[in-house]
Amino acid sequence: MRRVIVQSALLSALAAYTAFAAGPFLWIAIMSFRTTSEISAAPYALPDTFHWWKYPEAWFNSNYETYFWNSTQVMVISVTVLSVLGAMAAHCLARYKFPGNRIVFFLIFSSIILPPQITIIGVFQLLVEYGLYNSLVGLTLVYISMQLPLTVYILEGFFARLPQDLFDAARMDGYSDFEIFWRITLPIGMPAIATTVVLNMIYIWNEFLFAVVLLSDDSKRTLPLGIQRFLGDHLEDTGMLATGLMIAVIPIIVVYVFFSEKMIQGMTAGAVK
Amino acid sequence: MEIRLEQVSKDFDSVRVIEDLELLVHDGEMIALLGPSGCGKTTTLFMICGIHTVTAGRVLFGDRDVTHVPPQERNVGVVFQSYALYPHLAVAENIAFPLRIRKEAKEDVEHKVRKIAATLHIDSLLTRRPGQLSGGQQQRVALARALVRDPAVLLLDEPLANLDTGLRLEMRSELRRIQQATGSTAILVTHDQAEAMSMCDRIALMNEGQIEQIATPSEIYVRPRNKFVASFIGSPPIAFCSGAVSENMFKGPGFKFELPERLQAAAIKPDSAVTLGIRPEALQPGLDIPVSGMIAFVEPQGRETLYGLQLPDGNMLRSVQAGGSRFKLGEHVRWGLDRESLLFFDPDGSGI
């Protein structure tokens, strides 16, 4: 009897949380198939007819292709560099004893607590001076430097828990330091790396503040800035905004589903005993 | 391959853990580094394979000085206590791992893996992951990986410590069989004297970073160099009682006897204090040097029984006797000592 009460309480709490988290998303998803006039007439109604045409419309009528491609480039390059560089740094900090190891780690770690707003003026000035303002290269560099501390922190924590014997064994088996990183740390650390990949992808795909400050040309804009364009100066096209948001969010959901599967696989396979 | 340690010392953060260690392991020999935990036996092993650097002294493999040779180039096979199998690789890949780096031909690698797997009876496990294996199977895989590339030296760090009792006994003789079959020079680190005694040609008993004695298992048991060796080796342990020697007679608490011949020759100073070491099998009913006391504990062990004999002065001796318990707790008995297997130590603990 008590179990039933506990279970039902737990279930209703979960249901409430799901509604809270997924409700707005569903609402936007429904709106993405309705026109702005339909939405203003009845904001919460289900679509009478599904206006599928809104998707190609949003894509082709507002440079979405460019924004999407820009965002993809920035994200893929940033996440790749972050994963490789972050994993290397974490491997060294977790595995090698050298003077100042903990100082370096603390310096990297302490920059996590700085809110990004603090650095934005300095970053802006730097990029202007180096001719990287209004360029995707500049934005990519900023994203890498913003996310590297957290990436190193998460990976270091995971790598440090790998048994030292594995590395000694690989050394005895004749492998060099770099090969040990490549053939032991990376594959065994995959679950942790997948975690940072997902975190970084979501952050970079959705990032608005730095993008809006550091980019000015329409042809350089990333998706979050592109969506902003639907919030016109005079007229707010709510229906198209919802469609634009859905297009932007679909890739990240696909990526998340794919990687979370990997993450869970890695964790349950008992990768590290 | 002969292994020689010359005056080897090791500091960890300015704390000296190994001091001027000398060790010679003959080609094809299996030697045990035995000692209590923290005595430096694993550190010594790791210096031989190169995982730890050497603070002072030299490590030689044959005539080759490997003191500063990186571990990758020493051609040493190590079985770690934790086995250290690569969790992301199948058993076959784990075993092949040391060969892959040597750019050997695919067929050669496959052939060697199959051969060593057959020797170790793990050929049916080659496609599994380490996480799916039992402790004993993991142990064999670790051994296969260490042996597959024909190492000059095989180092075993407490290889049996994580196995359950039955398997441990089986793997003891198995390890010895494999070592003899491959003819490799092997060093076994262990804190289990039974393991060291039953598997190795010689035992190096370590304590506090130094080797107390290097000898064959029977020699180290019959002629321990000092009190530490005598008390560490032997189970149930040896008992000590102090006494004095004068005119070739040993006077102990409540008993005295004439010294065995080899000690008479040693010419012990008159009236000097001497500690007597009595192994449990040296105290038996009906032997010629009478010792009286009260039975303080009785521990039947099936095939034999362990008694504690309390002497009038409170000293406790132990006696192992074949068969079930024939004496009762609290009973006063008069047993005897076997003169020839008694051990004598001078006041600083060295054997006489």
Side-chain angles (χ1 to χ4, degrees), chain A residues 13-271:
Chain A
L14 279 175
Y17 179 75
T18 308
F20 175 75
F25 176 75
L26 271 178
W27 190 34
I28 297 283
I30 289 166
M31 283 201 286
S32 73
F33 294 110
R34 306 172 73 209
T35 62
T36 304
S37 50
E38 279 172 352
I39 292 166
S40 24
Y44 299 106
L46 291 171
D48 295 330
T49 46
F50 282 87
H51 299 298
W52 295 101
W53 54 267
K54 288 182 66 199
Y55 277 76
E57 169 95 8
W59 182 271
F60 291 116
N61 284 4
S62 61
N63 253 343
Y64 235 64
E65 217 179 316
T66 312
Y67 307 148
F68 206 92
W69 175 234
N70 288 345
S71 265
T72 308
Q73 282 183 72
V74 169
M75 183 184 81
V76 168
I77 295 173
S78 308
V79 168
T80 308
V81 174
L82 274 169
S83 303
V84 173
L85 214 60
M88 283 178 167
H91 174 73
C92 289
L93 289 168
R95 210 39 71 188
Y96 297 106
K97 273 190 189 169
F98 56 87
N101 177 316
R102 288 296 96 181
I103 296 173
V104 171
F105 181 69
F106 178 76
L107 283 176
I108 292 175
F109 174 54
S110 59
S111 64
I112 291 177
I113 58 170
L114 296 179
Q117 288 83 347
I118 279 188
T119 56
I120 199 153
I121 295 171
V123 165
F124 176 82
Q125 191 60 39
L126 266 175
L127 290 197
V128 169
E129 273 177 40
Y130 283 91
L132 291 168
Y133 172 71
N134 192 28
S135 80
L136 292 179
V137 175
L139 189 66
T140 305
L141 287 176
V142 171
Y143 285 162
I144 291 170
S145 69
M146 291 302 296
Q147 287 305 93
L148 199 56
L150 186 68
T151 309
V152 171
Y153 178 69
I154 292 174
L155 294 180
E156 200 267 354
F158 189 87
F159 292 171
R161 288 206 313 274
L162 299 177
Q164 179 63 32
D165 279 358
L166 281 181
F167 298 89
D168 290 338
R171 188 158 299 163
M172 298 315 308
D173 286 345
Y175 286 78
S176 71
D177 289 272
F178 182 75
E179 285 159 338
I180 288 172
F181 167 73
W182 197 250
R183 307 203 42 175
I184 305 290
T185 305
L186 271 193
I188 298 176
M190 255 319 151
I193 294 169
T195 307
T196 62
V197 164
V198 169
L199 282 178
N200 289 332
M201 276 184 157
I202 293 172
Y203 169 80
I204 291 165
W205 191 257
N206 295 330
E207 209 285 330
F208 182 80
L209 179 66
F210 281 95
V212 80
V213 172
L214 302 175
L215 299 174
S216 58
D217 282 5
D218 189 47
S219 65
K220 300 282 168 55
R221 287 186 175 176
T222 55
L223 263 181
L225 300 185
I227 292 162
Q228 187 210 15
R229 290 234 318 184
F230 288 111
L231 302 163
D233 296 332
H234 311 292
L235 182 88
E236 201 166 291
D237 191 350
T238 316
M240 271 304 171
L241 185 63
T243 313
L245 279 171
M246 286 313 290
I247 294 178
V249 87
I250 285 165
I252 211 72
I253 291 175
V254 171
V255 161
Y256 184 79
V257 167
F258 175 74
F259 269 97
S260 60
E261 189 74 8
K262 278 248 148 191
M263 270 154 70
I264 292 163
Q265 265 178 16
M267 283 165 190
T268 51

Side-chain angles (χ1 to χ4, degrees), chain B residues 328-347:
Chain B
K328 287 193 188 64
L329 197 65
E331 199 176 325
H332 286 268
V333 292
R334 195 174 145 91
W335 290 344
L337 299 177
D338 173 30
R339 193 191 318 264
E340 291 313 311
S341 54
L342 292 174
L343 300 168
F344 300 86
F345 303 93
D346 66 16

Side-chain angles (χ1 to χ4, degrees), chain B residues 216-227:
Chain B
T216 62
S218 57
E219 203 180 322
I220 208 165
Y221 185 78
V222 178
R223 288 278 163 268
R225 182 181 290 166
N226 55 37
K227 267 178 84 176

